[in-house]
Amino acid sequence: MDAKQKTNKKQFTGVVTRDKMDKTVIVSVPRFVKHPKYHKFYKQTKTFKVHDESNQYKTGDKVIIEETKPISKGKSFIVVA
């Protein structure tokens, strides 16, 4: 197998909004959506619980998260960078 294989895992870029839990951070991921009738773009934000094994990311850090197998009931993403 090659070292650079294409994976089908979803990746998002977001900002850490909370880091109070152990080995978990809350990441806010914004996206722009076009209104179906008025054709204006507006921002929607979704939050994800993300696994952070070393507790190194703090509030305000910009991170890349990647989909993985479920770690717990609410966590299915890990921090890549």
Side-chain angles (χ1 to χ4, degrees):
M1 295 194 154
D2 296 326
K4 292 185 177 182
Q5 278 195 335
K6 177 85 171 150
T7 61
N8 291 332
K9 296 180 180 181
K10 294 177 188 172
Q11 282 193 339
F12 300 112
T13 303
V15 177
V16 176
T17 55
R18 286 177 46 201
D19 62 345
K20 301 288 184 188
M21 293 177 273
D22 187 32
K23 296 185 181 180
T24 304
V25 292
I26 304 292
V27 177
S28 180
V29 178
R31 66 188 185 106
F32 281 99
V33 181
K34 189 175 186 179
H35 192 279
K37 182 177 180 181
Y38 300 114
H39 307 293
K40 182 175 181 176
F41 285 93
Y42 59 97
K43 191 191 294 190
Q44 283 187 337
T45 305
K46 187 166 184 178
T47 57
F48 296 97
K49 287 183 184 174
V50 181
H51 187 68
D52 175 21
E53 183 66 36
S54 58
N55 286 325
Q56 71 181 28
Y57 297 101
K58 301 299 175 196
T59 303
D61 291 348
K62 196 170 185 180
V63 294
I64 298 172
I65 61 174
E66 184 178 78
E67 188 179 35
T68 184
K69 65 177 184 160
I71 299 167
S72 67
K73 180 183 175 184
K75 284 198 291 186
S76 294
F77 286 87
I78 56 170
V79 177
V80 177

PDB file of all heavy atoms in Angstrom, residues 6 9 14 16-17 24 28 36 43 48 50 61 66:
ATOM      1  N   LYS A   6      -5.828   7.922  -0.669  1.00  0.00           N
ATOM      2  CA  LYS A   6      -7.002   8.783  -0.491  1.00  0.00           C
ATOM      3  C   LYS A   6      -7.954   8.110   0.488  1.00  0.00           C
ATOM      4  O   LYS A   6      -8.294   6.949   0.329  1.00  0.00           O
ATOM      5  CB  LYS A   6      -7.674   8.993  -1.854  1.00  0.00           C
ATOM      6  CG  LYS A   6      -8.919   9.791  -1.816  1.00  0.00           C
ATOM      7  CD  LYS A   6      -8.611  11.254  -1.863  1.00  0.00           C
ATOM      8  CE  LYS A   6      -9.942  11.982  -2.047  1.00  0.00           C
ATOM      9  NZ  LYS A   6      -9.947  13.257  -1.458  1.00  0.00           N
ATOM     10  N   LYS A   9     -12.607   9.841   4.779  1.00  0.00           N
ATOM     11  CA  LYS A   9     -12.962  10.441   6.061  1.00  0.00           C
ATOM     12  C   LYS A   9     -13.191  11.939   5.893  1.00  0.00           C
ATOM     13  O   LYS A   9     -12.442  12.616   5.203  1.00  0.00           O
ATOM     14  CB  LYS A   9     -11.858  10.203   7.086  1.00  0.00           C
ATOM     15  CG  LYS A   9     -11.652   8.744   7.400  1.00  0.00           C
ATOM     16  CD  LYS A   9     -10.561   8.553   8.410  1.00  0.00           C
ATOM     17  CE  LYS A   9     -10.368   7.086   8.709  1.00  0.00           C
ATOM     18  NZ  LYS A   9      -9.319   6.875   9.704  1.00  0.00           N
ATOM     19  N   GLY A  14     -11.990  24.184  12.141  1.00  0.00           N
ATOM     20  CA  GLY A  14     -12.811  24.931  13.074  1.00  0.00           C
ATOM     21  C   GLY A  14     -11.988  25.545  14.184  1.00  0.00           C
ATOM     22  O   GLY A  14     -10.756  25.467  14.189  1.00  0.00           O
ATOM     23  N   VAL A  16     -11.579  25.908  18.472  1.00  0.00           N
ATOM     24  CA  VAL A  16     -11.921  25.324  19.765  1.00  0.00           C
ATOM     25  C   VAL A  16     -12.683  26.362  20.582  1.00  0.00           C
ATOM     26  O   VAL A  16     -12.198  27.477  20.790  1.00  0.00           O
ATOM     27  CB  VAL A  16     -10.654  24.869  20.518  1.00  0.00           C
ATOM     28  CG1 VAL A  16     -10.999  24.346  21.897  1.00  0.00           C
ATOM     29  CG2 VAL A  16      -9.906  23.822  19.723  1.00  0.00           C
ATOM     30  N   THR A  17     -13.889  26.004  21.038  1.00  0.00           N
ATOM     31  CA  THR A  17     -14.694  26.933  21.828  1.00  0.00           C
ATOM     32  C   THR A  17     -14.684  26.579  23.315  1.00  0.00           C
ATOM     33  O   THR A  17     -14.865  27.468  24.138  1.00  0.00           O
ATOM     34  CB  THR A  17     -16.148  26.969  21.328  1.00  0.00           C
ATOM     35  OG1 THR A  17     -16.674  25.658  21.317  1.00  0.00           O
ATOM     36  CG2 THR A  17     -16.215  27.549  19.936  1.00  0.00           C
ATOM     37  N   THR A  24     -11.196  15.929  25.761  1.00  0.00           N
ATOM     38  CA  THR A  24     -12.254  16.320  24.826  1.00  0.00           C
ATOM     39  C   THR A  24     -12.272  17.830  24.688  1.00  0.00           C
ATOM     40  O   THR A  24     -12.134  18.542  25.673  1.00  0.00           O
ATOM     41  CB  THR A  24     -13.637  15.847  25.338  1.00  0.00           C
ATOM     42  OG1 THR A  24     -13.592  14.441  25.550  1.00  0.00           O
ATOM     43  CG2 THR A  24     -14.717  16.156  24.336  1.00  0.00           C
ATOM     44  N   SER A  28     -16.113  24.408  17.025  1.00  0.00           N
ATOM     45  CA  SER A  28     -17.162  25.066  16.273  1.00  0.00           C
ATOM     46  C   SER A  28     -16.724  25.164  14.813  1.00  0.00           C
ATOM     47  O   SER A  28     -15.672  25.729  14.519  1.00  0.00           O
ATOM     48  CB  SER A  28     -17.412  26.450  16.857  1.00  0.00           C
ATOM     49  OG  SER A  28     -18.400  27.106  16.155  1.00  0.00           O
ATOM     50  N   PRO A  36     -32.383  29.202  -0.270  1.00  0.00           N
ATOM     51  CA  PRO A  36     -32.984  28.678  -1.491  1.00  0.00           C
ATOM     52  C   PRO A  36     -33.865  29.678  -2.242  1.00  0.00           C
ATOM     53  O   PRO A  36     -33.939  29.643  -3.469  1.00  0.00           O
ATOM     54  CB  PRO A  36     -33.823  27.494  -1.007  1.00  0.00           C
ATOM     55  CG  PRO A  36     -33.973  27.684   0.448  1.00  0.00           C
ATOM     56  CD  PRO A  36     -32.800  28.480   0.914  1.00  0.00           C
ATOM     57  N   LYS A  43     -24.101  32.429   7.342  1.00  0.00           N
ATOM     58  CA  LYS A  43     -23.222  31.514   8.053  1.00  0.00           C
ATOM     59  C   LYS A  43     -24.014  30.640   9.020  1.00  0.00           C
ATOM     60  O   LYS A  43     -24.834  31.138   9.788  1.00  0.00           O
ATOM     61  CB  LYS A  43     -22.174  32.296   8.834  1.00  0.00           C
ATOM     62  CG  LYS A  43     -21.065  31.415   9.393  1.00  0.00           C
ATOM     63  CD  LYS A  43     -20.185  32.122  10.381  1.00  0.00           C
ATOM     64  CE  LYS A  43     -19.390  33.224   9.760  1.00  0.00           C
ATOM     65  NZ  LYS A  43     -18.379  33.750  10.684  1.00  0.00           N
ATOM     66  N   PHE A  48     -18.922  20.215  17.395  1.00  0.00           N
ATOM     67  CA  PHE A  48     -18.590  18.805  17.496  1.00  0.00           C
ATOM     68  C   PHE A  48     -17.779  18.578  18.768  1.00  0.00           C
ATOM     69  O   PHE A  48     -16.934  19.390  19.122  1.00  0.00           O
ATOM     70  CB  PHE A  48     -17.734  18.344  16.308  1.00  0.00           C
ATOM     71  CG  PHE A  48     -18.420  18.430  14.980  1.00  0.00           C
ATOM     72  CD1 PHE A  48     -18.232  19.524  14.154  1.00  0.00           C
ATOM     73  CD2 PHE A  48     -19.242  17.405  14.546  1.00  0.00           C
ATOM     74  CE1 PHE A  48     -18.842  19.593  12.918  1.00  0.00           C
ATOM     75  CE2 PHE A  48     -19.862  17.472  13.313  1.00  0.00           C
ATOM     76  CZ  PHE A  48     -19.668  18.566  12.496  1.00  0.00           C
ATOM     77  N   VAL A  50     -14.779  16.616  20.133  1.00  0.00           N
ATOM     78  CA  VAL A  50     -13.609  16.079  19.441  1.00  0.00           C
ATOM     79  C   VAL A  50     -12.627  15.522  20.450  1.00  0.00           C
ATOM     80  O   VAL A  50     -12.374  16.142  21.495  1.00  0.00           O
ATOM     81  CB  VAL A  50     -12.940  17.183  18.584  1.00  0.00           C
ATOM     82  CG1 VAL A  50     -11.749  16.627  17.835  1.00  0.00           C
ATOM     83  CG2 VAL A  50     -13.941  17.787  17.619  1.00  0.00           C
ATOM     84  N   ASP A  61      -7.918  28.094  19.678  1.00  0.00           N
ATOM     85  CA  ASP A  61      -6.997  27.468  18.732  1.00  0.00           C
ATOM     86  C   ASP A  61      -7.732  27.028  17.471  1.00  0.00           C
ATOM     87  O   ASP A  61      -8.844  26.510  17.535  1.00  0.00           O
ATOM     88  CB  ASP A  61      -6.315  26.241  19.352  1.00  0.00           C
ATOM     89  CG  ASP A  61      -5.347  26.603  20.453  1.00  0.00           C
ATOM     90  OD1 ASP A  61      -5.022  27.796  20.584  1.00  0.00           O
ATOM     91  OD2 ASP A  61      -4.919  25.695  21.190  1.00  0.00           O
ATOM     92  N   GLU A  66     -10.916  15.253  12.053  1.00  0.00           N
ATOM     93  CA  GLU A  66     -11.163  14.193  11.090  1.00  0.00           C
ATOM     94  C   GLU A  66     -12.095  13.157  11.691  1.00  0.00           C
ATOM     95  O   GLU A  66     -11.994  12.816  12.861  1.00  0.00           O
ATOM     96  CB  GLU A  66      -9.844  13.528  10.702  1.00  0.00           C
ATOM     97  CG  GLU A  66      -9.971  12.478   9.635  1.00  0.00           C
ATOM     98  CD  GLU A  66      -8.633  11.894   9.254  1.00  0.00           C
ATOM     99  OE1 GLU A  66      -8.130  11.042  10.027  1.00  0.00           O
ATOM    100  OE2 GLU A  66      -8.089  12.283   8.216  1.00  0.00           O
TER     101      GLU A  66
END
